Amino acid sequence: MSTFEPIHVVGGGLAGSEAAWQIAEAGVPVILHEMRPIRGTDAHKTDGLAELVCSNSFRSDDPETNAVGLLHQEMRRLGSLIMREGDAHQVPAGGALAVDREGFSDAVTATLQAHPLVSIERGEVSGLPPDSWSSVIVATGPLTSPALAGAIRTLTGEAELAFFDAIAPIVHRESIDMRVAWFQSRYDKAGPGGTGADYINCPLDRDRYEAFVDALLAGDKTSFKPWEGTPYFDGCLPIEVMAERGRETLRHGPMKPFGLTNPNDPDRKPYAVVQLRQDNALGTLFNIVGFQTKLKYGEQTQIFRMIPGLENAEFARLGGLHRNTYLNSPKLLDSTLRLRAMPRLRFAGQITGCEGYVESAAIGLMTGRFAAAERLGRPSPPLPSTTALGALINHITGGHLETIDEGPRSFQPMNVNFGLFPPLERMPKAEDGKRLRGAAKAIAKKRGLTDRARMDLGRWLSGSEIPVAAE
Ligand SMILES: Cc1cc2nc3c(=O)[nH]c(=O)nc-3n(C[C@H](O)[C@H](O)[C@H](O)COP(=O)(O)OP(=O)(O)OC[C@H]3O[C@@H](n4cnc5c(N)ncnc54)[C@H](O)[C@@H]3O)c2cc1C
């Protein structure tokens, strides 16, 4: 029997299951509260833990040149249950890791049920956890039950827990053609924390604007699920809905050309301008301002590349609009994912503002380790932000920039991607010492980032005090 007080984990999805496993493996008892089957969600169909609600894919398994593949590898190195069972229930899917969803969920459930330090309690936690629960991880996901979501919202403040995301696409800064685009804030206004040249501007002439509106109108859109409703709120209309309201609507909304002069062509006034705003503290990612959309992903890539300056844009994230409960984490959570206002509560999974099965499980993994280390009185050295796990936590807890001007808050859910990693200090060169270009350069850069991540995770692990699975 362990002498430690248990840690409570609320929600037995991807994040909660992984967190419970990490805590128990560290030698601390854990009580996992899952409301299914007593109360369901609009997306879950079973009472199994770690149910995959939609696709059965964990995405790319390539740890050399893909950020989510690297995240898989790091999670395996940290003894992840989700990755262990994902690997054990793999089905053929080319370079992706896809799993047999039933076998996977059954195995996660059975493993946790059999663990001597894990108790599973079925039932909804319908308000803030009682004071007697001295350490709690809330991992209730994008479809957190309304009663608990309401209690969290009261605690954090109305504006800090969202029920929908309204995602504008994010572009890798280095893929924007700055021979066409330019840096300038509207009317050169500096604003709080700004310089007067904070936005990247892409100019459209009339023909390009008309073609762009035509493409938006014709583009294939995703529809809302019946239970999602139509969350057009806060001035967050999808751009295609704005275009449907009139051909000039966008030119008077997010694409207005006023207060901007194109230094590449100063005598010609652009007919419309698309603005991109810095999204992360590193300055590697820029979001397209006001471009939340329900266009299908393939359409988005094609249509947004019609914008001058974005012809070769690489997207770190495409746009979307979904039912999704998530916190304004950069403001609310500390670096070990504790709620600043009530540090006995930690958060994990998609509710923290990451996106995706693997990312949710990854944040569950780290939150579980942080909570266990705290219970054991051991230090939890911060993860290097050069690792995929560290980059993701850094984005959630501090790496994201708040908007530099008025408007809805800008923190939106995000998959792991290389734009979240600090840039390499030195760009890799070809074997003959020459500068690399094009695809060769892009691959060498990704390899440089993943090699650095592996080395830095190794160093971190050697100083880490919680036992980890053998590599
Ligand atoms: C409809 C939909 C489709 C998605 N499709 C994909 C996809 O194809 N691929 C992908 O990578 N990501 C997808 N996601 C995004 C996301 O990665 C998944 O939702 C993922 O499951 C999130 O993991 P989680 O652990 O944070 O939450 P979940 O896996 O949803 O787990 C949360 C758990 O908490 C329980 N719970 C909620 N409230 C309470 C409460 N008050 N008390 C006790 N238990 C509670 C729920 O029953 C659930 O089991 C999708 C999301 C949604 C909503």
Side-chain angles (χ1 to χ4, degrees), residues 284-295:
T284 50
L285 299 174
F286 277 70
N287 66 65
I288 313 186
V289 180
F291 267 40
Q292 54 279 353
T293 177
K294 286 289 275 183
L295 283 167

Side-chain angles (χ1 to χ4, degrees), residues 11 13-15 34-36 44 54-55 125 140-142 145 350 356-357 360:
L14 276 305
E34 169 52 55
M35 69 178 183
R36 292 175 289 118
H44 291 84
C54 188
S55 104
V125 174
T140 44
S145 74
Q350 187 142 326
Y357 299 146
S360 297

Side-chain angles (χ1 to χ4, degrees), residues 209 212-213 216 238-240 242-243 246-257 272-273 290-291:
Y209 176 79
F212 183 69
V213 170
L216 286 181
I239 44 166
E240 63 277 10
M242 281 189 247
R247 299 192 68 85
E248 289 289 288
T249 308
L250 282 168
R251 221 168 74 77
H252 294 281
M255 293 176 73
K256 59 178 176 283
V273 172
F291 267 40

Side-chain angles (χ1 to χ4, degrees), residues 413-427:
M414 182 109 158
N415 287 126
V416 68
N417 67 79
F418 286 122
L420 301 180
F421 292 59
L424 291 171
E425 274 144 30
R426 227 171 289 122
M427 258 317 285

